[in-house]
Amino acid sequence: MSQSLIIAIDGPSGSGKSTLGRMLARELGLLYIDTGSMYRAVALAAIESTVSETDDVAVGSLAQRIDINLAGDPDSLRVTLDGRDVSDRIRDEDVTHMSSIISTIPPVRRAMVERQRVLGARGAVMNGCDMGTVVFPDADIKFFLDAAPEERAERRLAEEREHNPAATYEQTLVDITERDRRDITRVDSPLVAAKDAIVIDSTGRPIEEVFQRMMTIVRESRET
């Protein structure tokens, strides 16, 4: 596979973007970029500063100033914030909540889009909410993953309990629903499938089945 191949994967929280993105990157030998981790890093920087999440200009300025880097293979991606490894910290509940807020701020999204384009320009599997519509509208392949909210909540709960054992399904479903609302209705880069995206609903489907379908699509696209 060409190292310049750009695969954009979009979809709501809990739709399988991270798991399938890592699987594709590993199989294809491409860089894996979880853009959600970048927004989480901005959220952590906001938490650790005196900046208010309601001050769009200040948070946007903060996003421009901080240094965020992603490194490592798909299964051990490390995230650094100003040179400090924050891979585990950004998965904590307070950062998760803050990231869902600051990711809707237009200046923050613009700052992250610039960085994402630089990171992915030489070929990557890009996982996010606006990869195929805004960041790489000319991506070689665009996927839009979806699943029923109830199933997405179950997947998200399994992840959250690694960092927050007290997390409940009921609250996770509420959070998922609220996150969907924010992502879909935000003015800047709303969550929507690109017109030329391949939409895959993974509800009730084994992850390996979805992965094999995606790999078939990738192989066929490279043969044409």
Side-chain angles (χ1 to χ4, degrees):
M1 292 291 175
S2 169
Q3 293 302 297
S4 63
L5 179 67
I6 297 176
I7 299 176
I9 304 178
D10 293 316
S13 178
S15 59
K17 301 190 302 293
S18 297
T19 300
L20 289 160
R22 287 194 297 267
M23 292 171 73
L24 282 176
R26 184 170 60 247
E27 182 72 16
L28 298 170
L30 291 170
L31 175 67
Y32 170 64
I33 299 178
D34 176 9
T35 60
S37 294
M38 300 175 73
Y39 288 103
R40 286 173 177 269
V42 177
L44 177 58
I47 289 171
E48 294 179 341
S49 74
T50 57
V51 171
S52 169
E53 69 271 19
T54 62
D55 188 336
D56 290 9
V57 174
V59 179
S61 177
L62 177 67
Q64 288 279 5
R65 296 195 308 272
I66 59 178
D67 178 56
I68 301 171
N69 190 46
L70 307 180
D73 62 56
D75 296 311
S76 58
L77 188 71
R78 308 308 294 175
V79 183
T80 59
L81 172 61
D82 291 331
R84 171 171 55 109
D85 190 330
V86 295
S87 307
D88 295 326
R89 176 69 180 93
I90 61 172
R91 298 297 165 183
D92 289 342
E93 185 178 8
D94 60 334
V95 178
T96 297
H97 175 71
M98 179 68 80
S99 68
S100 72
I101 297 172
I102 65 96
S103 65
T104 65
I105 298 174
V108 173
R109 298 200 71 83
R110 287 194 290 271
M112 293 301 101
V113 165
E114 291 177 9
R115 298 180 187 212
Q116 290 157 13
R117 285 174 175 160
V118 171
L119 286 171
R122 284 185 271 181
V125 175
M126 308 285 295
N127 158 15
C129 290
D130 59 356
M131 296 299 101
T133 54
V134 176
V135 183
F136 284 106
D138 296 322
D140 297 284
I141 304 168
K142 301 176 188 178
F143 291 108
F144 188 91
L145 300 179
D146 203 356
E150 294 79 8
E151 187 162 327
R152 291 192 284 117
E154 290 178 356
R155 296 172 185 173
R156 179 62 67 188
L157 179 62
E159 296 176 3
E160 288 185 356
R161 279 187 170 160
E162 296 180 8
H163 304 275
N164 178 23
T168 66
Y169 170 79
E170 292 75 16
Q171 185 57 50
T172 302
L173 180 58
V174 169
D175 292 343
I176 283 275
T177 303
E178 176 60 18
R179 177 66 179 271
D180 287 351
R181 185 194 65 76
R182 284 180 181 150
D183 287 346
I184 293 170
T185 61
R186 66 179 176 236
V187 175
D188 193 288
S189 306
L191 173 63
V192 62
K195 292 182 179 180
D196 54 346
I198 298 162
V199 179
I200 300 177
D201 190 323
S202 63
T203 304
R205 300 174 64 183
I207 199 75
E208 185 62 30
E209 177 187 327
V210 179
F211 170 65
Q212 290 301 331
R213 182 181 175 192
M214 295 173 78
M215 278 301 304
T216 297
I217 291 168
V218 172
R219 293 191 184 100
E220 289 177 348
S221 75
R222 304 309 286 170
E223 293 171 358
T224 57

